[in-house]
Amino acid sequence: MIRWLAWGAVAVLGFLAVATAAGWLVTDGPLGRRVATGPASLELGGSFRLTDHRGRTLTDRDFRGQPIAIFFGFTACPDVCPTTLADMTAFMEELGPDADRLHWLFVTVDPERDTPEQLANYLTLFDPRIVGLTGKPAEIADAAKAWRVSYRRVPLDGGGYTMDHSASVFLMDARGRFAGTIDYKESAEVALEKLRMLLAARGT
């Protein structure tokens, strides 16, 4: 029994080492921990009902028929979120007119502070085609669960808080199937190739 437990521990540590090296997912909390999301064969995505940064109630049905690039973060994020949204903006510019063939979504994991108005102000810094989504805490939790996104509130010294959260952009094809991720700080060349492959896939 001890031998099997030892081998199990080695296997887990080996998997985490590979995941960390691959940079599949990073978090934005103070510890900077890295956690693996897993391979692209995962079944991710699902139905949701949220409010966009213009105050409109939207569901997953409003985004059907086109591929989706969806990112979970928050507006008070110090580094990962603005970097990722800036990258998305750069990808859209590089793709040119093809960028209009994707839905670009930013879902907050901090609905307490990220009202539609706050999202609208924040998104003026990035491409206007990015749609910000917020909602009640339970609605955000349901959406995050559908994409297996982890997040948690982390208190800060002296008061206030930040959010520890997943940091990958999830790619969904036009049929709503998981097609892969763009990982945090992945090279622009690789990310653009993934987006072009997503657009070229059958049914898009």
XYZ file of all heavy atoms in Angstrom, residues 34 92 101 121 156 161:
58
model
N 0.406 28.140 -10.073
C 0.033 27.684 -11.413
C -0.688 26.345 -11.297
O -0.274 25.476 -10.556
C 1.289 27.526 -12.297
C 1.940 28.850 -12.643
C 3.194 28.622 -13.452
N 3.791 29.895 -13.824
C 3.627 30.472 -15.002
N 2.887 29.888 -15.922
N 4.183 31.624 -15.276
N -7.221 40.936 -32.553
C -8.315 41.400 -33.392
C -7.801 42.319 -34.499
O -8.237 42.230 -35.652
C -9.365 42.101 -32.530
C -10.036 41.159 -31.543
S -10.888 41.989 -30.193
C -12.426 42.412 -30.978
N -15.792 37.735 -37.093
C -16.414 36.418 -37.175
C -16.309 35.643 -35.867
O -16.736 34.487 -35.778
C -15.774 35.616 -38.306
C -15.995 36.226 -39.688
C -15.137 35.544 -40.736
N -15.321 34.085 -40.697
C -14.390 33.211 -41.082
N -13.194 33.642 -41.499
N -14.638 31.920 -41.036
N -16.811 51.294 -18.482
C -15.689 52.233 -18.352
C -14.358 51.533 -18.605
O -13.479 52.065 -19.292
C -15.693 52.859 -16.953
C -16.839 53.826 -16.748
O -17.336 54.418 -17.714
N -17.267 53.992 -15.506
N -6.693 41.337 1.337
C -5.409 42.018 1.292
C -5.091 42.650 2.642
O -6.000 43.029 3.390
C -5.421 43.114 0.216
C -5.610 42.651 -1.230
C -5.734 43.859 -2.148
C -4.455 41.754 -1.672
N -9.614 43.528 -1.152
C -9.394 42.164 -1.603
C -9.013 42.167 -3.076
O -9.217 43.144 -3.799
C -10.654 41.315 -1.396
C -11.840 41.708 -2.256
C -12.075 41.109 -3.495
C -12.747 42.686 -1.825
C -13.160 41.457 -4.284
C -13.834 43.047 -2.608
C -14.041 42.433 -3.837
O -15.119 42.790 -4.619
